[in-house]
Amino acid sequence: MSQDVQPCKDLGIQCEERLLQLPSFNLSRSAEGWGPGHNLRMRRRKIVIAGGFFLSFFLATLLNLLCVPGFDHNHQLQDRGTPVPLGQSWQDNEISMDLLKQLQDRYQEVIRYREHQVPVSATERLLRPLERRLMDLAQQSSSEHNLKWENPKRSSSDQDILFQSHPSSKIDLSLQPPLLGCQDISKGTDLRYLGSGYTKAVYKLMLNDTVSVALKSVDFGGHDIQNCLKRYKTLEDCYRLASFKIVKEMILLQRLQHPNILQLYGYCYQDSNDISDTLTTIIELGSPLEMIQLLQSSWEDRFRICLSLVRLLHYLAHSPLGSITLLDFRPRQFVIVDGELKVTDLDDASMEETPCTCSEDCFMEFPARNFTLQCSVEGKCQNMNEKRNLYNAYRFFFTYLLPHSAPSSLRPLLDVIVNATGELRWGIDETAAQFEKVLYLYKSGLYLSNVTHVPKAEYRQLKDVSIVDEDYRCWPSYHHNGCLLSVFDINEAIDVCESHSQCKAFIWTNQTTWTGRQLVFFKTGSSKLVADRNKITYLKETV
């Protein structure tokens, strides 16, 4: 409201005195013919007109105050898309109270996962070579990390008071000091953006020119932050809400120690985008899971992916936190590290068991079909977390990767596995046992036919000799431009060669797969023989 209108808060004596002080009109007409009475009437008319003008201006201003939302300073900031400071909106904005409740709920969820006890300390397990290298990199800065890190163990009441007083401040809920931290990130090189999801962005960083790691942080341009900003208009609080997902994932990576879960190497709190203490986690780097490439790979590699997944799900069903389900179960939530499948996103994992009063409450709905599980006497849906994981494994992995191009003698057993998991007749324990059985049969060669096979041709052996070129393609093969397959022994290699009309020779490479099977190159001829140490060439000779 302008200064001219501000004193007239009501039409009282103050306004009348103000109106009487208005300047008189400078009339150019002659006063002739105008009597004293006429002058008095004109004066009163001017007072009435001026009073009406100020009355209308006052009423319009009052209506703006009461009815126009744009007058509110916070609302004006919201209309312009400017984040509202917490102190300006927290007390008088009902929407902000909803955001506060979400922050508190996320915080309490993190506390629930954090307070479970770890059965085995992470330092007690054997370190793999990569972890040893990371520990070597961290030795110089470990003392600094230990000084900065404070033991976050407090009573839950103290944590609640802390959070309620400063809901947007940093709360370090980590269980142990990081192996790697901010100093290691600042010294890293070759930072590359890898991708982003709903909440997080992932980057690749090279440490000491020897080890590559992945960095995870909240994606300020992601759907999670942007959808929050559209509703709440407060960037810092929207960031805190999203960052609790990373905190939860960090705690789960510390709690859950398994070969098929990515390793957490450290974390860093630093200022970013005008927000203090933004969190970045440092984790093991993996390759994205590409289903099209997997379908083109060998059956042995595809079986390894499925076996890795089953071992992971078996661990999650019996984890130190109880049975854990992956609510966002999709291939993109996994990566491949040295041929092994590993889960990378745990922010949507849940250890909550579904409560029930009857079996109808234990309803699981999927795109292709639905299931109803039993309600236990404890009022929980029996094995729902486990069964949800298992059926998702069936529909995303088993149906595509298991049966195709498998050894013929193993296909009946694989069909039983696929059908049983698709119908949820088995739990994860039985499924894992059947997968281990397939692995044993495959590695030991027991899947091969017991019938003695008589070769159609004789094969001449040439030691330390190889064949250049003369390749042909077969599927599935370990080599894109040639026929490179794994075999259990020389007899299986001969069987493969005789089943391919193009095969005239094969090379025993002395290279093995993850199961210990030999890799063999099958060739169309032997016209280009060259010396090659540690290789054995078998030439097919017509009988």
Side-chain angles (χ1 to χ4, degrees):
M1 190 180 297
S2 66
Q3 294 180 354
D4 293 336
V5 182
Q6 184 64 33
C8 295
K9 294 185 178 178
D10 53 55
L11 295 179
I13 298 175
Q14 219 174 4
C15 290
E16 291 181 1
E17 293 177 351
R18 183 68 177 274
L19 294 176
L20 292 174
Q21 296 174 2
L22 289 173
S24 60
F25 292 99
N26 183 17
L27 301 176
S28 60
R29 297 188 59 170
S30 171
E32 185 178 353
W34 296 71
H38 182 77
N39 291 335
L40 180 60
R41 288 194 303 272
M42 289 298 296
R43 183 178 179 82
R44 289 178 178 173
R45 184 178 299 174
K46 289 189 288 183
I47 294 175
V48 171
I49 293 174
F53 171 78
F54 281 100
L55 176 61
S56 62
F57 190 87
F58 170 78
L59 291 176
T61 304
L62 183 62
L63 289 175
N64 283 336
L65 285 170
L66 297 177
C67 303
V68 181
F71 181 82
D72 179 69
H73 175 64
N74 289 338
H75 202 102
Q76 288 177 337
L77 290 175
Q78 292 173 2
D79 289 343
R80 293 197 300 265
T82 304
V84 180
L86 181 63
Q88 296 180 2
S89 64
W90 213 248
Q91 297 177 353
D92 56 2
N93 195 330
E94 183 177 352
I95 295 181
S96 295
M97 295 305 297
D98 176 57
L99 178 57
L100 174 60
K101 184 179 183 304
Q102 293 187 51
L103 284 166
Q104 290 173 330
D105 291 343
R106 291 270 178 92
Y107 171 76
Q108 293 298 332
E109 180 188 22
V110 169
I111 292 299
R112 287 198 304 272
Y113 284 91
R114 182 185 178 279
E115 289 180 347
H116 281 74
Q117 295 182 354
V118 180
V120 179
S121 173
T123 59
E124 293 179 4
R125 57 190 176 85
L126 294 177
L127 294 176
R128 292 177 291 178
L130 177 60
E131 291 172 314
R132 294 193 190 97
R133 292 163 66 190
L134 290 170
M135 289 190 70
D136 293 338
L137 289 174
Q139 283 180 353
Q140 296 179 352
S141 57
S142 61
S143 58
E144 179 182 347
H145 291 321
N146 290 333
L147 289 174
K148 290 183 177 180
W149 184 79
E150 298 178 359
N151 188 350
K153 294 183 179 179
R154 305 182 182 93
S155 65
S156 58
S157 60
D158 291 341
Q159 291 169 335
D160 293 340
I161 294 174
L162 173 62
F163 181 77
Q164 292 172 4
S165 302
H166 305 283
S168 61
S169 62
K170 181 187 79 172
I171 303 175
D172 191 350
L173 298 172
S174 177
L175 300 168
Q176 59 196 35
L179 181 64
L180 300 177
C182 299
Q183 184 178 358
D184 302 287
I185 293 179
S186 64
K187 292 180 179 179
T189 58
D190 196 21
L191 179 66
R192 298 182 183 181
Y193 170 78
L194 296 181
S196 59
Y198 190 82
T199 302
K200 294 166 292 188
V202 184
Y203 301 84
K204 176 183 177 181
L205 182 69
M206 178 70 70
L207 300 181
N208 203 29
D209 297 327
T210 56
V211 180
S212 293
V213 297
L215 305 180
K216 277 190 180 184
S217 60
V218 172
D219 184 7
F220 284 91
H223 295 288
D224 209 351
I225 288 286
Q226 294 303 312
N227 290 341
C228 179
L229 284 176
K230 289 179 182 178
R231 182 175 183 184
Y232 301 112
K233 311 297 182 182
T234 163
L235 178 59
E236 183 169 358
D237 302 319
C238 286
Y239 170 80
R240 300 302 171 196
L241 186 65
S243 67
F244 274 121
K245 289 188 177 181
I246 296 185
V247 176
K248 174 187 173 183
E249 181 175 87
M250 179 174 66
I251 290 177
L252 285 175
L253 290 176
Q254 290 176 329
R255 287 280 186 249
L256 305 176
Q257 301 293 323
H258 189 267
N260 298 112
I261 298 177
L262 283 183
Q263 297 295 305
L264 175 71
Y265 296 140
Y267 59 91
C268 168
Y269 282 101
Q270 59 187 351
D271 297 343
S272 176
N273 284 25
D274 297 328
I275 297 178
S276 61
D277 298 322
T278 61
L279 174 62
T280 299
T281 54
I282 309 170
I283 60 175
E284 186 178 10
L285 180 67
S287 301
L289 182 66
E290 300 290 347
M291 292 299 293
I292 295 179
Q293 293 181 4
L294 275 180
L295 291 173
Q296 298 172 349
S297 63
S298 68
W299 176 84
E300 188 174 338
D301 285 347
R302 285 184 275 121
F303 175 75
R304 186 181 187 183
I305 296 297
C306 294
L307 178 64
S308 300
L309 179 58
V310 168
R311 288 172 172 173
L312 169 65
L313 298 187
H314 184 268
Y315 173 78
L316 293 180
H318 305 284
S319 81
L321 303 178
S323 181
I324 295 178
T325 186
L326 303 177
L327 297 177
D328 189 15
F329 196 116
R330 293 175 296 169
R332 64 176 298 175
Q333 307 299 101
F334 300 87
V335 295
I336 297 178
V337 180
D338 297 330
E340 289 278 338
L341 185 75
K342 297 194 177 190
V343 63
T344 178
D345 285 340
L346 290 175
D347 55 303
D348 289 315
S350 175
M351 64 180 183
E352 308 298 332
E353 296 283 355
T354 304
C356 60
T357 57
C358 59
S359 296
E360 285 72 16
D361 297 332
C362 303
F363 183 74
M364 288 198 306
E365 184 176 3
F366 296 96
R369 61 169 306 169
N370 305 321
F371 299 93
T372 299
L373 304 181
Q374 294 296 319
C375 181
S376 68
V377 293
E378 293 83 8
K380 302 290 184 181
C381 294
Q382 288 186 353
N383 303 323
M384 177 170 279
N385 289 347
E386 170 187 330
K387 292 294 182 69
R388 182 185 289 111
N389 287 342
L390 190 56
Y391 187 78
N392 279 325
Y394 156 80
R395 70 189 186 103
F396 284 117
F397 290 90
F398 298 167
T399 54
Y400 301 108
L401 304 181
L402 266 187
H404 310 295
S405 69
S408 57
S409 58
L410 290 178
R411 287 175 189 170
L413 179 54
L414 294 173
D415 289 339
V416 171
I417 292 175
V418 172
N419 293 332
T421 54
E423 299 290 333
L424 287 185
R425 296 197 306 267
W426 291 349
I428 189 60
D429 292 344
E430 179 64 24
T431 303
Q434 293 297 323
F435 266 85
E436 297 295 342
K437 178 180 179 181
V438 173
L439 177 63
Y440 172 73
L441 294 174
Y442 189 66
K443 290 180 66 175
S444 63
L446 294 176
Y447 72 96
L448 296 172
S449 174
N450 292 327
V451 178
T452 302
H453 177 72
V454 178
K456 299 177 181 179
E458 293 183 356
Y459 289 83
R460 180 160 55 95
Q461 182 184 107
L462 302 175
K463 292 184 177 182
D464 297 329
V465 172
S466 183
I467 302 174
V468 178
D469 299 329
E470 302 196 59
D471 294 312
Y472 68 93
R473 293 182 178 181
C474 64
W475 187 84
S477 172
Y478 287 92
H479 194 280
H480 294 296
N481 296 319
C483 187
L484 180 64
L485 303 176
S486 71
V487 299
F488 175 71
D489 57 14
I490 188 65
N491 293 325
E492 186 177 10
I494 292 175
D495 289 342
V496 172
C497 186
E498 293 188 346
S499 66
H500 295 174
S501 59
Q502 308 98 312
C503 181
K504 304 301 180 183
F506 60 86
I507 304 169
W508 195 270
T509 66
N510 279 330
Q511 296 177 338
T512 59
T513 65
W514 65 278
T515 59
R517 292 163 58 89
Q518 295 288 329
L519 285 175
V520 175
F521 248 124
F522 295 89
K523 300 284 185 173
T524 59
S526 57
S527 60
K528 299 180 180 180
L529 297 175
V530 296
D532 195 343
R533 190 176 179 182
N534 297 325
K535 296 227 176 25
I536 303 176
T537 295
Y538 292 84
L539 303 180
K540 186 177 185 181
E541 296 182 345
T542 305
V543 178

